[in-house]
């Protein structure tokens, strides 16, 4: 019955109790919103913070603010979470895709540079699994394109000693249950310069005034996570197909709204635990990475210089045959899963919003065919780590 979770975001019963209190009493006067906003400003050296119902909504507001009335496209990585497509469509924007280097998960320099002639309003960097690109150390100039750093998967990731979400004109955070730091939902848009401040202010106007929703439904999901989100019981929800656990799904766009009071209260309690979890992930990932060199059919990914991955998961590339052939039932029980199954260019919902020449995305295609990811979180026991090491050495 033991089945390892792909990702673990720490939550305590005390944090859940705080969330329940906020769901019942609400956030009168916006005190919770202000406190969490100040914590995030200090944590990521931000000039302003806008708290939203999800990271996708925060990214949509960032894109909408960058594009404005110009009609210029936004540049996206061709291989990433499908929520990037949702954010573009929610912002009623157009998009152009750039290729990735499958060995680093960072942008392909030639592909990114070729976007200059398309004059994008913004370029989105969305590091997967906490692997930050070197372009965040020395950003490639793309005219006056606004730099948007989608740090949804980047808790614990550092670039030149700075947190990932402290970079860019604007940065995006997600507090979903699988993002390393969770409130059961919610997101944030962070401004780091004058252009970012204008984007955040436009988003604030878009959300309007009024009280934050209470968010009691999110607490039920968090309570289920606390009860079932452990290896001894995770086989139960993972066997229920209607929960779609571990699947990559496209979600249609929805109107952005404010962060729920319950999520704010939980977030306030879990930030320090999320930091400790990130340290454990890094230790486990570095241990497992040492075994990848012995794998006959796998290649490691190489972190970019001056970056420290947050290792939300440990990505590896399958060299031969399909990655699905390597994912036996036993491997899945260890928490080993595929990456995103297709590129964004192959996502039907986004096709009508893509502009510019359809340059080949060879690196993204290789990632869609070959990327596998391993768990790194604190619920891994010594026995689990040993089993993952054996799988790596025998694959």
């Amino acid at each position: 019955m033991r089945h390892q979770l792909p990702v673990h975001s720490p939550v305590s019963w005390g944090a859940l109790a705080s969330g329940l209190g906020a769901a019942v009493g609400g956030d009168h006067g916006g005190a919770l919103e202000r406190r969490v906003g100040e914590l995030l400003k200090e944590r990521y050296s931000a000039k302003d913070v806008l708290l939203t119902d999800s990271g996708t909504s925060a990214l949509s507001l960032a894109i909408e603010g960058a594009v404005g009335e110009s009609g210029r496209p936004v540049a996206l990585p061709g291989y990433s979470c499908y929520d990037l497509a949702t954010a573009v469509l929610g912002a009623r924007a157009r998009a152009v895709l750039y290729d990735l280097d499958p060995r680093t998960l960072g942008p392909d320099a030639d592909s990114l540079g070729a976007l200059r002639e398309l004059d994008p309003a913004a370029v989105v960097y969305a590091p997967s699994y906490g692997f930050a690109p070197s372009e965040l150390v020395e950003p490639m100039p793309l005219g006056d394109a606004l730099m948007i750093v989608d740090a949804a998967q980047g808790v614990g990731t550092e670039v030149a000693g700075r947190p990932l979400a402290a970079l860019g004109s604007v940065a995006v955070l997600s507090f979903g249950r699988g993002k390393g730091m969770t409130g059961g939902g919610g997101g944030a848009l962070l401004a780091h310069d004058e252009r970012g401040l204008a984007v955040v202010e436009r988003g604030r106007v878009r959300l309007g005034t009024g009280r934050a929703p209470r968010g009691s439904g999110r607490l039920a999901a968090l309570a289920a996570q606390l009860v079932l989100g452990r290896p001894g019981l995770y086989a139960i929800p993972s066997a229920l197909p209607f929960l779609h656990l571990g699947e990559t799904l496209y979600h249609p766009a929805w109107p952005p709204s404010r962060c729920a009071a319950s999520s704010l209260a939980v977030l306030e309690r879990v930030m320090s635990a999320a930091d400790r979890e990130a340290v454990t992930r890094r230790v486990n990932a570095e241990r497992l990475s040492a075994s990848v060199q012995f794998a006959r059919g796998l290649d490691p990914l190489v972190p970019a210089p001056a970056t420290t991955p947050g290792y939300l998961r440990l990505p590896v590339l399958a060299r031969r045959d399909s990655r699905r052939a390597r994912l036996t039932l036993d491997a899945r029980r260890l928490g080993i899963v595929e990456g995103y199954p297709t590129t964004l260019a192959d996502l039907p919902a986004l096709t009508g919003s893509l502009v510019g020449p359809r340059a080949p995305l060879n690196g993204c295609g290789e990632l869609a065919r070959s990327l596998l990811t391993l768990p790194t979180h604190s619920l891994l026991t010594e026995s689990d780590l040993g089993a993952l090491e054996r799988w790596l050495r025998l694959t």
Side-chain angles (χ1 to χ4, degrees):
M1 286 293 292
R2 187 172 176 82
H3 194 302
Q4 192 56 254
L5 285 72
V7 179
H8 170 62
S9 301
V11 179
S12 66
W13 287 110
L16 194 68
S18 295
L20 180 60
V24 172
D27 185 17
H28 293 297
L32 260 175
E33 193 171 45
R34 286 193 297 274
R35 289 203 305 271
V36 173
E38 288 300 318
L39 286 171
L40 292 174
K41 285 170 68 175
E42 180 180 0
R43 184 185 186 94
Y44 298 112
S45 303
K47 295 179 180 297
D48 197 5
V49 172
L50 178 64
L51 292 154
T52 62
D53 63 298
S54 69
T56 305
S57 289
L59 180 58
S60 185
L61 290 172
I63 293 171
E64 186 177 303
V67 172
E69 310 304 322
S70 70
R72 295 158 63 191
V74 58
L76 305 177
Y79 182 80
S80 191
C81 177
Y82 294 175
D83 288 346
L84 268 68
T86 302
V88 167
L89 296 173
R92 300 176 297 281
R94 300 180 302 156
V96 61
L97 303 178
Y98 60 84
D99 202 9
L100 298 180
D101 180 346
R103 306 301 164 183
T104 67
L105 295 182
D108 176 271
D110 292 337
S111 177
L112 188 61
L115 300 185
R116 290 191 188 94
E117 62 186 55
L118 297 174
D119 191 27
V123 57
V124 177
Y125 293 97
S128 293
Y129 315 114
F131 267 61
S134 58
E135 282 74 10
L136 294 179
V137 181
E138 292 291 338
M140 176 178 289
L142 290 176
D144 64 345
L146 186 84
M147 183 192 291
I148 300 173
V149 176
D150 183 350
Q153 298 185 26
V155 173
T157 301
E158 294 184 355
V159 177
R162 300 174 62 195
L164 180 63
L167 304 173
S169 287
V170 293
V172 170
L173 290 169
S174 173
F175 307 124
R177 291 189 299 279
K179 295 301 192 297
M181 182 166 66
T182 187
L189 181 59
L190 287 67
H192 295 304
D193 59 20
E194 293 304 314
R195 297 180 70 191
L197 284 169
V199 169
V200 168
E201 184 55 34
R202 176 174 176 141
R204 185 170 283 117
V205 172
R206 174 97 149 79
L207 295 188
T209 58
R211 292 182 180 177
R214 295 174 184 267
S216 55
R218 292 182 171 180
L219 290 177
L222 271 182
Q225 175 181 326
L226 271 172
V227 173
L228 298 175
R230 58 190 70 188
L233 293 174
Y234 186 66
I236 298 172
S238 67
L240 302 176
F242 61 87
L243 293 178
H244 301 290
L245 296 179
E247 295 182 34
T248 301
L249 302 175
Y250 168 76
H251 301 98
W254 64 89
S257 60
R258 298 173 65 185
C259 190
S262 61
S263 293
L264 294 170
V266 172
L267 274 172
E268 192 176 27
R269 294 285 300 272
V270 303
M271 286 189 190
S272 58
D275 291 336
R276 293 191 296 272
E277 179 71 18
V279 172
T280 299
R281 288 200 308 267
R282 188 173 300 123
V283 171
N284 287 340
E286 290 173 353
R287 172 177 169 175
L288 293 173
S289 294
S291 294
V292 180
Q293 63 181 311
F294 299 106
R296 296 186 299 273
L298 299 173
D299 286 321
L301 274 71
V302 181
T307 69
T308 301
Y311 290 114
L312 187 65
R313 295 182 54 75
L314 176 66
V316 295
L317 289 174
R319 292 182 201 157
R320 300 180 300 274
D321 61 41
S322 76
R323 60 184 179 184
R324 289 186 181 277
R326 301 178 185 277
L327 285 181
T328 63
L329 179 58
D330 286 342
R332 293 183 182 278
R333 284 174 176 162
L334 290 174
I336 304 167
V337 299
E338 303 98 336
Y340 307 117
T342 66
T343 69
L344 292 186
D346 296 322
L347 188 63
L350 188 62
T351 302
S353 298
L354 294 177
V355 298
R358 302 297 173 87
L361 301 173
N362 296 326
C364 293
E366 181 178 345
L367 288 168
R369 292 187 301 270
S370 304
L371 191 69
L372 299 170
T373 64
L374 283 71
T376 56
H377 52 70
S378 61
L379 297 182
L380 295 170
T381 64
E382 182 63 30
S383 176
D384 294 326
L385 289 165
L388 288 167
E389 288 174 318
R390 287 191 294 274
W391 182 87
L392 287 167
R393 290 170 178 164
L394 295 173
T395 297

